[in-house]
């Protein structure tokens, strides 16, 4: 997660949405002259905040960390600052997101070695329910939707460029790089992977998400 006091925005990092790429690209607007790094320990200055990234042990000890829900951000920076800053999040079609999550390395190593298919992964674990709950917690506080700006995974570069204009974030110092590229995923056409049962499961748990962002199968 990121906080920029100069530009008055908060970046809430979501899951499997090119969040790391977006976060790294926006870091220089939070803290000046910071070196680019995939992993990151928490940094907090008068300019802003960069949460711990890519280190679960450090994240658990950090005040600000990866995928930190807004409710906890409010507890740390205060409601007045939180309410007055622009809140940004990346989103992605949940059907595509679930496939990407299955082929993400830790999950892939655990489940996709021939012991659990994508179908079984969705139907025999709580992953769909758990991820939908995490997304709700990333976008809602006490039942109120708190996101101001959305960057769509499917339109990543254009949406980020539009965001720079809206927030007057001039002169970017980095390229929008691709991190965590998934080389295990065999086919980008996620429609081929779903059965009626798994499709209905995702639609049920992510109904609020589909309603918010008009995604569909």
């Amino acid at each position: 997660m990121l906080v920029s006091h100069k530009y008055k925005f908060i970046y809430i990092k979501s899951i499997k949405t090119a969040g790391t790429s977006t976060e790294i690209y926006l870091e220089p607007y939070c803290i000046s002259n910071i070196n680019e790094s995939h992993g990151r320990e928490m940094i907090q200055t008068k300019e802003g905040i960069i949460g711990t990234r890519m280190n679960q042990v450090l994240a658990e000890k950090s005040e600000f960390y990866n995928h930190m829900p807004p409710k906890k951000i409010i507890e740390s920076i205060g409601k007045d600052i939180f309410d007055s800053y622009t809140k940004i999040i990346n989103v992605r079609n949940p059907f595509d997101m679930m496939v990407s999550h299955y082929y993400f390395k830790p999950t892939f190593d655990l489940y996709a070695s021939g012991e659990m298919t994508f179908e079984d992964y969705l139907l025999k674990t709580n992953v769909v329910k758990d991820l939908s709950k995490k997304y709700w917690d990333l976008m809602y506080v006490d039942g109120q939707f708190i996101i101001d700006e959305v960057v769509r995974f499917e339109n990543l570069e254009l949406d980020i460029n539009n965001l720079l204009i809206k927030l007057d974030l001039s002169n970017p110092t980095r390229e929008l790089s691709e991190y965590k590229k998934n080389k295990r995923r065999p086919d980008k056409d996620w429609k081929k992977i779903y059965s009626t049962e798994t499709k209905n499961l995702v639609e049920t748990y992510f109904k609020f998400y589909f309603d918010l962002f008009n995604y569909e199968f």
Side-chain angles (χ1 to χ4, degrees):
M1 56 77 63
L2 306 172
V3 176
S4 171
H5 295 307
K6 179 177 180 179
Y7 294 100
K8 300 186 183 305
F9 73 77
I10 297 168
Y11 179 72
I12 298 168
K13 187 180 178 186
S14 52
I15 301 162
K16 304 309 298 171
T17 59
T20 299
S21 298
T22 306
E23 187 174 57
I24 291 172
Y25 183 78
L26 294 175
E27 280 182 347
Y29 298 107
C30 301
I31 297 176
S32 301
N33 302 316
I34 185 168
N35 293 328
E36 184 171 341
S37 175
H38 191 184
R40 175 76 71 199
E41 293 186 26
M42 188 193 93
I43 304 173
Q44 183 173 11
T45 72
K46 292 181 179 179
E47 290 183 284
I49 303 163
I50 300 172
T52 299
R53 180 173 63 239
M54 301 296 294
N55 189 317
Q56 187 60 34
V57 174
L58 282 179
E60 291 174 357
K61 299 176 182 178
S62 299
E63 182 177 6
F64 299 98
Y65 54 89
N66 226 14
H67 309 302
M68 185 174 179
K71 194 165 187 177
K72 289 192 174 293
I73 296 174
I74 292 171
E75 292 173 2
S76 291
I77 68 173
K79 192 172 186 305
D80 289 344
I81 292 176
F82 184 87
D83 289 346
S84 65
Y85 284 20
T86 300
K87 274 76 68 181
I88 308 160
I89 198 168
N90 286 26
V91 299
R92 181 180 189 175
N93 190 314
F95 290 114
D96 189 25
M97 184 201 311
M98 293 307 310
V99 176
S100 180
H101 193 274
Y102 174 69
Y103 283 105
F104 181 52
K105 189 178 188 309
T107 304
F108 187 80
D109 289 346
L110 183 62
Y111 293 116
S113 59
E115 299 178 5
M116 184 172 283
T117 64
F118 175 73
E119 178 101 353
D120 287 342
Y121 181 54
L122 265 60
L123 297 179
K124 295 183 179 181
T125 74
N126 290 322
V127 63
V128 180
K129 179 181 178 181
D130 291 346
L131 274 180
S132 66
K133 174 63 166 58
K134 287 180 180 179
Y135 260 97
W136 177 274
D137 290 342
L138 288 170
M139 297 189 292
Y140 285 84
V141 175
D142 298 329
Q144 296 294 315
F145 183 71
I146 51 81
I147 300 300
D148 300 304
E149 296 291 340
V150 166
V151 173
R152 291 181 182 266
F153 177 87
E154 300 82 2
N155 205 28
L156 187 66
E157 188 170 353
L158 179 59
D159 281 2
I160 289 179
N161 287 337
N162 288 335
L163 182 69
L164 298 185
I165 294 169
K166 283 185 179 181
L167 299 183
D168 195 22
L169 305 180
S170 58
N171 301 320
T173 60
R174 293 180 179 172
E175 297 292 328
L176 183 60
S177 301
E178 186 174 4
Y179 292 86
K180 300 181 183 177
K181 185 173 183 179
N182 198 326
K183 298 180 180 179
R184 290 164 291 277
R185 183 172 174 172
D187 196 332
K188 296 298 182 183
D189 186 0
W190 44 263
K191 289 187 178 183
K192 296 178 181 178
I193 303 175
Y194 281 88
S195 65
T196 299
E197 192 173 3
T198 53
K199 175 178 175 289
N200 290 341
L201 183 69
V202 174
E203 286 177 337
T204 298
Y205 279 106
F206 278 91
K207 183 181 184 305
F208 75 95
Y209 200 102
F210 288 111
D211 290 345
L212 281 169
F213 306 118
N214 297 314
Y215 283 119
E216 58 186 18
F217 190 76

